[in-house]
Amino acid sequence: MAKILYRILLCLGICLGLMGYGCSQAAELEGPWHYYEFSGDPLPEAPEFARQHIAEWPVFDMESRPHFAADTNRLLLAVKVNDAEPQKKILLFMTAKQAVRMWLGDEFFFSAGSFLPQRFDEGSQPYMLSLPDFSGQRLLVVELYAHAPQDLGWFSMFSVDTEQVQLGRLFFSDIPLILAIPVGIAILFIMGLYYFFNAEGWRRLYSYIGLFMVVFLLWIISAASVKSLFFDCPVFWWYSLSILAYLLPITSNLVLAELLKGKQYAHMEYVLGAYVFLFGAAMIGEGLGWHTMNGLMSWFYLLLPLGEGAAIYWCILAAREGDALCRAVLLPTLTFTLLGIVDGIAGHYHLLPWHMYVTPFGIYAFLYFVICILREEVRYEDSLLEQTAGLEKEVAALLRKAETDALTGCWNRNKLRKLLAKAIANAGGAGQTFALLMLDIDYFKRINDNYGHDMGDAVLRAFATAVRYRAGRNNPCIRWGGEEFLILTAGDNLEEVKELAEEIRQHIASIPLAGQKITCSIGIALWRMEKDTTAALFKRVDDALYRAKNNGRNCVVVGE
C-alpha cells in the first residue's frame, strides 16, 4: 500500500513538470539491438547463447521491425548496457500479446506470460523494472514468445532512466485519456438528469448517449497505462480494451440510429448489424482459441470508415432537411472516426511511432453535440412558455397534463369544453361569432401500415406542430381523436376563415413532416348564434369534412 501511495503522489508531482523530463537522456545502450528468430523449444542457456553468437545476428530496428519466417514464434534480442549513470536503472517498456523474460548478464530478473501455446492472448501493459546492480558492461538479453510471427518483436516506450522520469513518461502517454474523463463524466451526469427529470424530452436518445459514455469511460480506464502500476491484470485489461473497442461504434451508432429514425433513406440497421456481427464473430472465435479478438481488428478498421461514412452521409441529408441535431452530430461522428483510424494505424498496424491514444480528444466534439441538444431543449421549452403566456405558472403546471394531448402537445377534449363554453359566451354577450375547423390527415392509415406506429406518431407530432404554427396563438388547436384535429377561430368574416384554412392546407402539403409528404382535408362550420347547438355545430363540420374527403381530399369545404 505504501508503494502505491508513493507512486500516486509521484505522478501528481510530475503533473507540475511534464515538460521537463523530455530533456532527460536515458542510460547509454552501447551499440544496436541484435536479434535471433527461432521456433520450437526455448534455448536452455539464452544469455550464453547470445554472448557467443551476437556478432552473427542481424540488427533489430524497433521502429521498423523486420519480417520473420512464417513458423517463427520465439525471438531473442540482445543489446549491451553499461553503468555510466547508475542512478538511471529503471527499465520501461510495453509489449502486446507476447510472453517476455529478461537476463542482465547471467542474472535472470524478469518474466511475464507463458512460453507455451495458450488459448487466450497474453495481454498488453507497460512494465517498470529495476535493473539488477552491476558494474562495467553487461549484455541485456530479452526472449519473446508469441502465437504468430506478426505479433513478435513489438515494443513501445523502451528506455532506461530514473523512476521519476519513467513515471513521467508513462503518465504523459495517458494525458489524452485523463483529460477526457471529466468531460465524459459531466456528459453522463447531464444526460442522467435529463432522462429522469425531463419526461417530455428525447429520453431514448439520452439513454443511448449515456450508454455510449459508460462504454467510452470504461475504454479509457482499460487503455490507460498508469492503471497497470496499481492493478496488474494484463490479460483482463487487454480483453476489456478489445471488447470495449468493438462496443464503442455499436453504442455510438445507436445514437445515430435514434437521430435518423424515420428517415427512409437511412439504413442504420445495416451498419449496426455489421458491427454486431463482427463483434460476435470475434467473441466466438476467441472463445474457441482462434485469437480472433485481435485478429479481426483489421476488418474492424476497414468497416469503420465504411460504416461511419454511410452514417455521416445520411446525417448530411437529414441536416439539409433542417434537422438541427443531425447537423450537430456530424462533427463528433467525423472526429471520432478519423481519430479512431489514426489510433488503429498507430496501435494495430504499428505504422506510427508514438504510443498515445488520440481518440479521447473526440469527446470535446461530442460535448458540442450535447450542448446543441440542450439548446434545442431550451427552444422547445420556450415554445411551451409562449403557448401558455398570460397564465399563472402554478395553474399551467396543474392544468397542462389534464388538458394537453401527451403525443402531440395540442389541447385535448377536456380543454375543448372550456374553449367552446368561452366562445359561445362571447358570441351571446358581445356578438362575436366563431368558426370551427376540423382537419384530417389524408391516407394516414397507410403510414401506420407501411412504416409502423412509431412513424405514425412522429407524423402526428410534426403535423400538430405545423398546424399550431400556421394557425397562430389566438386560434387554439385541439386533438379531436386519431388523426383528426380541431381549430377554433373568430368567424365574423367567412372569407378570412376560409383563407386561414387554405393557408394551413397548403403549408402541410408543401413541407415534409417527419420525413413524409402528406396532405390534409379541412371542413368548416360557423356558429349560428342563439339558434345553434354544439351538437348541430359538430354535425355540420363533420359533414363538411366528409364532403372534402369525397371531393378528392386535400381541399377545404364549408358546411351548410
Side-chain angles (χ1 to χ4, degrees):
M1 179 60 70
K3 186 175 181 180
I4 291 177
L5 291 175
Y6 164 73
R7 287 182 169 178
I8 293 175
L9 293 174
L10 190 55
C11 285
L12 292 176
I14 291 167
C15 291
L16 302 176
L18 282 175
M19 301 306 295
Y21 83 82
C23 300
S24 176
Q25 297 296 321
E28 188 74 22
L29 300 178
E30 294 188 351
W33 286 85
H34 295 267
Y35 75 95
Y36 173 72
E37 59 178 295
F38 63 107
S39 59
D41 297 330
L43 297 174
E45 295 292 340
E48 181 63 27
F49 182 80
R51 279 196 297 270
Q52 293 178 1
H53 300 283
I54 187 173
E56 307 166 4
W57 294 356
V59 173
F60 182 83
D61 186 355
M62 288 190 178
E63 299 298 332
S64 56
R65 192 204 62 151
H67 294 285
F68 302 123
D71 60 343
T72 299
N73 59 11
R74 298 178 187 271
L75 188 68
L76 272 186
L77 298 172
V79 67
K80 296 176 182 179
V81 297
N82 60 45
D83 62 346
E85 297 182 85
Q87 75 278 11
K88 297 181 179 180
K89 64 174 185 177
I90 301 299
L91 175 63
L92 172 65
F93 68 95
M94 173 181 279
T95 61
K97 299 183 294 178
Q98 300 173 89
V100 57
R101 53 190 171 193
M102 295 184 171
W103 295 262
L104 185 61
D106 292 323
E107 182 176 354
F108 175 77
F109 70 95
F110 177 73
S111 178
S114 174
F115 279 76
L116 296 174
Q118 299 292 313
R119 185 169 187 171
F120 300 108
D121 288 334
E122 292 291 348
S124 174
Q125 76 168 47
Y127 297 99
M128 283 186 60
L129 313 173
S130 180
L131 292 175
D133 293 332
F134 72 101
S135 61
Q137 186 184 80
R138 291 288 188 276
L139 193 65
L140 177 62
V141 179
V142 181
E143 183 177 0
L144 300 171
Y145 171 82
H147 301 290
Q150 62 267 24
D151 297 330
L152 270 177
W154 293 114
F155 280 101
S156 299
M157 302 186 297
F158 199 102
S159 62
V160 180
D161 217 309
T162 64
E163 183 175 19
Q164 182 178 3
V165 171
Q166 297 294 45
L167 281 172
R169 186 173 284 112
L170 193 63
F171 185 82
F172 184 76
S173 68
D174 285 345
I175 284 181
L177 303 170
I178 295 171
L179 293 178
I181 289 177
V183 181
I185 293 176
I187 292 175
L188 188 60
F189 179 72
I190 293 171
M191 290 298 101
L193 288 179
Y194 268 83
Y195 181 86
F196 289 107
F197 299 107
N198 190 0
E200 296 183 355
W202 304 295
R203 297 190 71 187
R204 183 176 293 181
L205 177 63
Y206 303 151
S207 64
Y208 287 154
I209 292 175
L211 178 61
F212 172 64
M213 281 297 103
V214 169
V215 173
F216 181 74
L217 290 172
L218 292 176
W219 177 83
I220 285 178
I221 295 172
S222 300
S225 298
V226 176
K227 72 175 186 311
S228 301
L229 300 177
F230 316 116
F231 306 102
D232 186 12
C233 304
V235 175
F236 171 79
W237 292 120
W238 172 257
Y239 279 101
S240 296
L241 182 64
S242 300
I243 291 172
L244 293 167
Y246 281 101
L247 291 179
L248 276 175
I250 294 176
T251 52
S252 65
N253 279 287
L254 286 174
V255 177
L256 296 177
E258 181 64 20
L259 293 174
L260 292 168
K261 184 173 63 177
K263 312 294 185 185
Q264 296 183 4
Y265 47 77
H267 299 284
M268 287 302 300
E269 66 275 12
Y270 296 146
V271 177
L272 280 167
Y275 282 117
V276 171
F277 175 80
L278 187 64
F279 176 56
M283 291 290 289
I284 293 172
E286 194 69 26
L288 296 174
W290 296 344
H291 304 283
T292 52
M293 185 64 69
N294 188 261
L296 290 179
M297 272 293 169
S298 297
W299 290 97
F300 175 86
Y301 287 112
L302 177 63
L303 177 60
L304 196 61
L306 296 177
E308 302 314 300
I312 290 172
Y313 172 70
W314 294 327
C315 286
I316 291 175
L317 295 181
R320 289 177 177 175
E321 295 176 355
D323 194 314
L325 293 186
C326 284
R327 180 183 298 108
V329 83
L330 284 170
L331 177 63
T333 304
L334 181 61
T335 303
F336 269 119
T337 302
L338 294 177
L339 295 180
I341 292 173
V342 170
D343 278 341
I345 293 173
H348 183 72
Y349 296 104
H350 306 284
L351 297 180
L352 295 176
W354 66 75
H355 176 75
M356 179 183 289
Y357 289 102
V358 295
T359 299
F361 288 122
I363 194 66
Y364 296 98
F366 198 85
L367 180 61
Y368 162 77
F369 170 59
V370 172
I371 292 173
C372 291
I373 293 177
L374 303 183
R375 183 182 62 192
E376 292 300 314
E377 283 284 3
V378 171
R379 288 177 177 175
Y380 175 71
E381 292 171 1
D382 287 343
S383 69
L384 294 181
L385 291 176
E386 290 176 3
Q387 293 175 18
T388 58
L391 297 174
E392 294 292 334
K393 292 183 179 180
E394 295 80 3
V395 175
L398 293 173
L399 294 181
R400 177 161 294 277
K401 185 174 182 181
E403 297 181 343
T404 304
D405 177 62
L407 177 63
T408 63
C410 295
W411 299 118
N412 60 20
R413 293 195 180 197
N414 294 332
K415 182 68 173 180
L416 176 62
R417 297 189 188 97
K418 298 180 181 180
L419 293 172
L420 275 176
K422 181 178 179 181
I424 293 172
N426 289 337
Q432 297 176 353
T433 188
F434 65 91
L436 185 66
L437 282 65
M438 181 174 285
L439 300 81
D440 184 270
I441 301 176
D442 298 329
Y443 304 110
F444 181 73
K445 186 175 182 299
R446 294 182 182 178
I447 296 176
N448 280 333
D449 292 343
N450 294 336
Y451 304 107
H453 289 283
D454 287 343
M455 173 58 73
D457 291 346
V459 170
L460 285 174
R461 286 192 294 267
F463 178 79
T465 301
V467 169
R468 291 200 305 269
Y469 168 76
R470 184 55 65 180
R473 291 175 55 189
N474 295 327
N475 302 316
C477 180
I478 305 99
R479 188 182 181 192
W480 180 242
E483 67 273 22
E484 292 183 338
F485 295 79
L486 299 174
I487 295 177
L488 276 174
T489 185
D492 294 326
N493 188 322
L494 178 60
E495 292 301 319
E496 290 182 359
V497 174
K498 291 170 62 176
E499 183 179 349
L500 173 64
E502 191 63 30
E503 286 181 2
I504 294 173
R505 183 194 67 79
Q506 293 178 6
H507 180 63
I508 295 299
S510 65
I511 60 172
L513 298 177
Q516 304 293 323
K517 292 289 290 183
I518 63 171
T519 60
C520 69
S521 302
I522 304 176
I524 301 175
L526 298 179
W527 177 254
R528 295 177 176 175
M529 306 302 288
E530 53 277 334
K531 65 180 179 180
D532 209 348
T533 65
T534 55
L537 177 67
F538 277 99
K539 178 68 169 58
R540 292 196 305 276
V541 76
D542 190 65
D543 289 343
L545 178 62
Y546 180 77
R547 293 206 312 275
K549 291 287 188 181
N550 285 341
N551 289 346
R553 294 179 170 82
N554 192 23
C555 62
V556 177
V557 172
V558 179
E560 296 177 355

Coordinates of all heavy atoms in Angstrom, one line a residue, residues 11 37 69 89 97 112-113 118 145 162 174 179 192 199 205 236 239 260 289 292 301 356 363 422 424 482 515 532 549:
C11 N 3.2 10.6 -9.3 CA 2.6 11.0 -10.5 C 2.0 12.4 -10.4 O 2.0 13.2 -11.4 CB 1.5 10.0 -10.9 SG 2.1 8.4 -11.5
E37 N 15.8 -15.2 -34.5 CA 14.5 -15.8 -34.5 C 14.6 -17.3 -34.6 O 15.4 -17.9 -35.3 CB 13.7 -15.2 -35.7 CG 14.3 -15.5 -37.1 CD 13.5 -15.0 -38.2 OE1 12.4 -15.5 -38.4 OE2 14.0 -14.0 -38.9
A69 N 10.1 -15.4 -40.4 CA 9.6 -16.6 -41.1 C 8.2 -17.0 -40.6 O 7.9 -16.7 -39.4 CB 10.6 -17.7 -40.9
K89 N 18.4 3.3 -13.6 CA 18.4 1.9 -13.8 C 16.9 1.3 -13.8 O 16.7 0.2 -13.6 CB 19.1 1.2 -12.6 CG 18.5 1.5 -11.2 CD 19.2 0.7 -10.2 CE 18.5 0.9 -8.8 NZ 19.2 0.0 -7.8
K97 N 0.6 -9.0 -26.5 CA 0.3 -10.4 -26.9 C 1.6 -11.2 -27.0 O 1.8 -12.1 -27.8 CB -0.3 -10.5 -28.3 CG -1.7 -9.8 -28.3 CD -2.4 -9.9 -29.7 CE -1.6 -9.2 -30.7 NZ -2.2 -9.3 -32.1
A112 N 7.2 -12.6 -17.6 CA 5.8 -12.3 -17.7 C 5.2 -13.2 -18.8 O 5.7 -13.2 -19.9 CB 5.5 -10.8 -17.9
G113 N 4.1 -13.8 -18.5 CA 3.4 -14.6 -19.5 C 3.9 -16.0 -19.6 O 4.9 -16.4 -18.9
Q118 N -1.1 -21.0 -25.7 CA -2.2 -20.7 -24.8 C -3.5 -20.4 -25.6 O -3.4 -20.1 -26.8 CB -1.9 -19.4 -24.0 CG -0.7 -19.5 -23.1 CD -0.9 -20.5 -21.9 OE1 -1.9 -20.5 -21.3 NE2 0.1 -21.4 -21.7
Y145 N 8.0 -14.6 -26.8 CA 7.2 -15.7 -27.4 C 5.8 -15.2 -27.7 O 5.2 -14.5 -27.0 CB 7.1 -16.9 -26.4 CG 6.1 -18.0 -26.8 CD1 6.5 -18.9 -27.7 CD2 4.8 -18.0 -26.4 CE1 5.7 -19.9 -28.2 CE2 3.9 -19.0 -26.9 CZ 4.4 -19.9 -27.7 OH 3.5 -20.9 -28.2
T162 N 15.6 7.2 -14.6 CA 15.3 7.2 -13.2 C 13.8 6.9 -13.1 O 13.0 7.0 -14.0 CB 15.6 8.6 -12.6 OG1 14.7 9.6 -13.2 CG2 17.0 8.9 -12.7
D174 N -0.7 9.0 -21.1 CA -2.1 8.9 -20.7 C -2.8 10.3 -20.7 O -4.0 10.3 -20.3 CB -2.2 8.3 -19.3 CG -2.0 6.8 -19.3 OD1 -2.0 6.2 -20.4 OD2 -1.8 6.2 -18.3
L179 N -7.6 13.7 -19.7 CA -8.3 14.9 -20.0 C -9.7 14.6 -20.4 O -10.6 15.5 -20.2 CB -7.6 15.7 -21.1 CG -6.2 16.3 -20.7 CD1 -5.6 17.0 -21.9 CD2 -6.3 17.3 -19.5
G192 N -28.1 11.9 -17.5 CA -28.9 11.3 -16.5 C -30.0 12.2 -15.9 O -31.1 11.8 -15.7
A199 N -39.5 14.4 -18.7 CA -40.3 13.3 -19.3 C -40.7 13.6 -20.7 O -41.0 12.6 -21.5 CB -41.5 13.0 -18.4
L205 N -32.9 8.9 -26.7 CA -31.7 9.4 -27.1 C -30.7 9.7 -25.9 O -29.5 9.4 -26.0 CB -31.9 10.8 -27.8 CG -30.7 11.5 -28.3 CD1 -29.9 10.7 -29.3 CD2 -31.1 12.9 -28.9
F236 N -6.8 -9.4 -18.3 CA -8.1 -8.8 -18.1 C -8.2 -7.4 -18.8 O -9.2 -7.2 -19.5 CB -8.3 -8.6 -16.6 CG -9.5 -7.8 -16.2 CD1 -10.8 -8.4 -16.3 CD2 -9.4 -6.5 -15.9 CE1 -11.9 -7.6 -16.0 CE2 -10.6 -5.7 -15.6 CZ -11.8 -6.3 -15.7
Y239 N -8.4 -7.8 -22.7 CA -9.7 -8.2 -23.3 C -10.7 -7.2 -23.0 O -11.6 -7.0 -23.8 CB -10.1 -9.6 -22.7 CG -9.4 -10.7 -23.4 CD1 -8.3 -11.4 -22.9 CD2 -9.8 -11.1 -24.7 CE1 -7.6 -12.4 -23.6 CE2 -9.2 -12.1 -25.4 CZ -8.1 -12.8 -24.8 OH -7.5 -13.8 -25.5
L260 N -31.7 9.3 -36.7 CA -32.1 9.1 -38.1 C -33.4 8.3 -38.2 O -33.8 7.9 -39.3 CB -31.0 8.5 -38.9 CG -29.7 9.3 -39.1 CD1 -28.6 8.5 -39.6 CD2 -30.0 10.4 -40.1
G289 N -10.5 -20.3 -29.1 CA -9.0 -20.3 -29.0 C -8.3 -19.9 -30.3 O -7.2 -20.2 -30.6
T292 N -9.2 -14.5 -32.4 CA -9.8 -13.6 -33.3 C -10.2 -12.2 -32.8 O -10.5 -11.3 -33.5 CB -11.2 -14.3 -33.8 OG1 -11.9 -14.6 -32.7 CG2 -10.9 -15.5 -34.7
Y301 N -11.2 -2.0 -38.6 CA -10.7 -0.7 -39.1 C -11.0 -0.5 -40.6 O -11.0 0.6 -41.0 CB -9.2 -0.6 -38.9 CG -8.9 -0.4 -37.4 CD1 -8.2 -1.4 -36.6 CD2 -9.2 0.8 -36.8 CE1 -7.9 -1.1 -35.3 CE2 -9.0 1.0 -35.4 CZ -8.3 0.0 -34.7 OH -8.0 0.2 -33.4
M356 N 0.3 6.7 -27.9 CA -0.6 7.7 -27.3 C -1.9 7.6 -28.0 O -1.9 7.8 -29.2 CB 0.0 9.1 -27.3 CG -0.9 10.1 -26.6 SD -0.2 11.8 -26.7 CE 1.1 11.6 -25.5
I363 N -14.0 13.5 -27.5 CA -15.0 13.8 -26.5 C -15.4 15.3 -26.5 O -16.5 15.7 -26.2 CB -14.6 13.4 -25.1 CG1 -15.8 13.3 -24.1 CG2 -13.5 14.3 -24.6 CD1 -16.8 12.3 -24.4
K422 N -66.4 29.3 -23.6 CA -66.0 30.7 -23.6 C -66.4 31.3 -24.9 O -66.8 32.5 -25.0 CB -64.5 30.8 -23.4 CG -63.9 32.2 -23.4 CD -62.4 32.2 -23.2 CE -61.9 33.6 -23.2 NZ -60.4 33.7 -23.0
I424 N -68.9 30.4 -27.0 CA -70.3 30.6 -27.0 C -70.8 31.8 -26.2 O -71.7 32.6 -26.5 CB -71.0 29.3 -26.6 CG1 -70.7 28.2 -27.6 CG2 -72.5 29.5 -26.4 CD1 -71.2 26.8 -27.2
G482 N -57.5 10.3 -32.9 CA -56.8 9.7 -34.0 C -56.0 10.7 -34.8 O -55.2 11.4 -34.2
G515 N -40.2 13.4 -42.3 CA -39.7 12.6 -43.5 C -40.8 12.2 -44.4 O -40.5 11.5 -45.4
D532 N -78.3 28.0 -32.4 CA -77.4 26.9 -32.7 C -77.1 26.1 -31.4 O -77.3 26.5 -30.3 CB -76.1 27.4 -33.3 CG -75.4 26.3 -34.2 OD1 -75.9 25.2 -34.2 OD2 -74.5 26.7 -34.9
K549 N -63.4 14.9 -48.1 CA -62.8 13.6 -48.4 C -63.4 13.0 -49.7 O -62.6 12.5 -50.5 CB -63.1 12.6 -47.2 CG -62.4 12.9 -45.9 CD -60.9 12.6 -46.1 CE -60.2 12.7 -44.7 NZ -58.8 12.5 -44.8

